[in-house]
Amino acid sequence: MKPVKVGICGLGTVGGGTFNVLKRNAEEIARRAGRGIEVAQIATRQPNPKCDTTGTPVTDDVFDVINNPEIDIVVELIGGYTLARELVLRAIDNGKHVVTANKALIAVHGNELFAKAREKGVIVAFEASVAGGIPVIKAIREGLAGNRINWVAGIINGTGNFILTEMREKGRAFADVLKEAQALGYAEADPTFDVEGIDAAHKLTILASIAFGIPLQFDKAYTEGIGQLTTADVNYAEALGYRIKHLGVARRTEAGIELRVHPTLIPADRLIANVNGVMNAVMVNGDAVGSTLYYGAGAGMEPTASAVVADLVDVARALTTDPHNRVPHLAFQPDSLSDHPILPIAACESAYYLRIQAKDHPGVLAQVATILSERGINIESIMQKEVEEHDGLVPVILVTHRVVEQRIDDAIAALEALDDVADKVVRIRVEQLN
Ligand SMILES: NC(=O)C1=CN([C@@H]2O[C@H](COP(=O)(O)OP(=O)(O)OC[C@H]3O[C@@H](n4cnc5c(N)ncnc54)[C@H](O)[C@@H]3O)[C@@H](O)[C@H]2O)C=CC1
Ligand SMILES: N[C@@H](CC=O)C(=O)O
């Protein structure tokens, strides 16, 4: 059979890795796909690509690839929303299949792209867009197709996890570790996407659609980054038996779907609490299977290329299938996507870690306990530290039972209004992930 012809747009970290893996494993890949997969053209503006493209035509105009009649599959690896959207739409219009690692593009414009792709009978594949090399989209979409998914929770930003790990284990400074993550090719072109949780929210949006059969709704995700975390809270959490991880949580509830990204305390003995460095891990809980865990490199050249190439093999295999009988883009048949509401963060439920900077006066603990109990908030554990020399304040640290966030908001407002509470109350959500 004739080889499938691929055009790669973008030869940076992921593009370079994809080119190298396709070349190095060409024989194995052809045996898996049933035919060869050949790079027919590359479009890039990368001055020093990390791969040897000798013998492959290279252009600096992505539309040369999109309009090349020889090309069956366009691989979009330039990133961003605007040009990427335009080139993917044009590729689909030209009847080409698309493989992309671009989570921003899928989370924000995916509904439009999939509709267009269905109209034209082509595939838009995006395994690399979530959790780098972990085949988690395939796992949920196909491996868990018999389940009603209850929740998905994951460490889904490699840069953020790398930063938190280096800070906790080696006491390194935030900015210094971020610089290293950029040099290693982990970070987004705009690294605030990693640090502020936007990248994780893009990925969670995609996971939630595939898990629950809902349209992509990035604009409704609650997003909090890692920038506000302090070493003090990391240490107090450890003393209480927890680790702090930046987590994406999507949960189905009676009222709607929780879609939230934030730092989270997780019991230190959970496998996911011990996922360090650039590694990612995603837990998926289904009604039949129970809890499952998927682990692997969440960013980087070849781990991400592994997912891009897997999509290429999938598309090559599907080329002969009737378009209506292919696995649907979002796992559910498009006409059965439901419009479950995404809950505002105040209606989401979790347990909470609170750190209250109290004045060293008698009766403070009693006031704290009263405020919480008046709002039906039960305390699971409480710890009072010694007076801090520099400000004379006493950190009171507690973990609550699960409660709707609105009640914690009310309690925090009441605590901060006390004369004996000197500072903003620190609040970090807690998940047991059983
Ligand atoms: N770096 C990583 O570990 C991962 C990245 N991704 C996603 O993969 C995509 C690519 O990321 P990276 O490879 O890290 O980015 P990168 O910045 O290393 O590479 C981007 C490439 O696109 C090219 N490019 C940009 N604009 C262009 C234009 N107008 N015309 C021609 N070429 C153009 C650049 O020359 C460069 O070669 C992004 O969507 C990113 O979010 C997904 C998973 C992991
Ligand atoms: N910047 C992202 C890259 C992979 O998606 C990350 O760090 O996870």
Side-chain angles (χ1 to χ4, degrees):
M1 201 182 278
K2 263 183 23 201
V4 178
K5 302 279 179 145
V6 169
I8 298 180
C9 297
L11 206 62
T13 304
V14 185
T18 299
F19 186 85
N20 285 340
V21 171
L22 280 172
K23 214 163 156 187
R24 188 173 74 237
N25 296 341
E27 205 182 301
E28 195 98 13
I29 290 165
R31 283 168 52 215
R32 289 206 165 102
R35 59 206 288 194
I37 297 181
E38 227 175 76
V39 180
Q41 193 176 23
I42 294 166
T44 190
R45 295 186 179 165
Q46 185 79 19
N48 303 302
K50 294 191 195 104
C51 54
D52 176 8
T53 57
T54 313
T56 308
V58 179
T59 167
D60 65 359
D61 183 355
V62 287
F63 292 99
D64 288 347
V65 172
I66 307 307
N67 296 323
N68 182 340
E70 218 201 333
I71 285 170
D72 305 298
I73 311 173
V74 170
V75 183
E76 183 280 303
L77 299 172
I78 64 170
Y81 306 92
T82 314
L83 179 62
R85 171 177 170 271
E86 194 188 335
L87 86 81
V88 169
L89 283 172
R90 291 265 288 272
I92 294 171
D93 245 340
N94 289 351
K96 300 186 191 307
H97 303 278
V98 175
V99 171
T100 180
N102 191 337
K103 47 274 162 128
L105 176 73
I106 297 297
V108 175
H109 297 298
N111 295 323
E112 176 194 18
L113 300 179
F114 298 144
K116 183 92 177 160
R118 279 194 303 276
E119 191 188 306
K120 291 283 177 179
V122 298
I123 300 168
V124 175
F126 52 97
E127 181 64 67
S129 68
V130 180
I134 310 175
V136 66
I137 290 179
K138 205 171 184 65
I140 301 177
R141 192 161 56 182
E142 296 169 48
L144 300 180
N147 286 260
R148 185 169 202 267
I149 305 292
N150 297 316
W151 52 264
V152 178
I155 297 169
I156 45 180
N157 182 267
T159 303
N161 203 38
F162 181 67
I163 293 173
L164 288 181
T165 306
E166 291 288 305
M167 285 173 70
R168 188 178 69 84
E169 289 182 355
K170 301 182 190 151
R172 291 178 63 193
F174 189 102
D176 172 42
V177 191
L178 174 58
K179 242 185 226 155
E180 189 182 347
Q182 288 177 291
L184 290 166
Y186 301 157
E188 294 304 299
D190 176 354
T192 59
F193 276 41
D194 298 289
V195 171
E196 291 176 6
I198 300 162
D199 178 74
H202 286 146
K203 293 165 177 166
L204 187 70
T205 299
I206 297 170
L207 288 176
S209 290
I210 290 167
F212 307 129
I214 55 173
L216 296 148
Q217 296 166 78
F218 168 69
D219 55 334
K220 305 217 178 97
Y222 172 80
T223 306
E224 216 178 278
I226 56 173
Q228 307 303 316
L229 278 179
T230 65
T231 314
D233 290 312
V234 171
N235 293 338
Y236 292 143
E238 296 250 12
L240 288 164
Y242 291 92
R243 286 271 163 79
I244 300 185
K245 291 290 176 189
H246 190 242
L247 218 63
V249 179
R251 189 189 301 270
R252 190 203 292 270
T253 74
E254 291 278 305
I257 305 239
E258 296 184 359
L259 196 60
R260 48 191 172 93
V261 166
H262 47 69
T264 310
L265 270 74
I266 306 170
D269 60 359
R270 298 273 183 281
L271 283 173
I272 195 165
N274 294 285
V275 170
N276 292 319
V278 73
M279 304 310 273
N280 281 191
V282 183
M283 290 185 76
V284 185
N285 180 281
D287 66 341
V289 72
S291 288
T292 58
L293 174 69
Y294 309 87
Y295 169 85
M301 201 168 175
E302 293 214 353
T304 312
S306 162
V308 171
V309 174
D311 272 348
L312 286 170
V313 171
D314 252 6
V315 176
R317 285 171 174 159
L319 284 180
T320 49
T321 318
D322 163 10
H324 298 291
N325 288 322
R326 290 180 189 144
V327 180
H329 291 107
L330 290 177
F332 291 78
Q333 296 302 334
D335 54 6
S336 71
L337 290 183
S338 72
D339 59 354
H340 262 63
I342 304 292
L343 296 174
I345 190 67
C348 295
E349 189 187 285
S350 109
Y352 295 86
Y353 160 102
L354 302 180
R355 173 160 61 84
I356 302 154
Q357 292 295 96
K359 291 182 190 154
D360 189 20
H361 294 165
V364 176
L365 273 185
Q367 292 183 71
V368 170
T370 304
I371 285 177
L372 295 179
S373 79
E374 279 172 357
R375 287 156 183 83
I377 301 166
N378 290 326
I379 298 173
E380 188 196 275
S381 51
I382 188 159
M383 177 167 84
Q384 182 174 347
K385 304 304 285 185
E386 22 336 311
V387 179
E388 287 176 345
E389 271 175 25
H390 66 283
D391 56 11
L393 297 174
V394 187
V396 176
I397 295 115
L398 57 88
V399 175
T400 73
H401 283 276
R402 288 184 79 80
V403 61
V404 168
E405 181 132 339
Q406 183 63 61
R407 288 206 220 165
I408 288 287
D409 291 343
D410 292 348
I412 289 176
L415 288 168
E416 288 176 350
L418 290 176
D419 284 343
D420 282 343
V421 170
D423 215 338
K424 287 259 168 232
V425 173
V426 172
R427 166 242 311 265
I428 307 176
R429 295 166 190 87
V430 181
E431 293 288 346
Q432 296 297 324
L433 302 178
N434 291 315

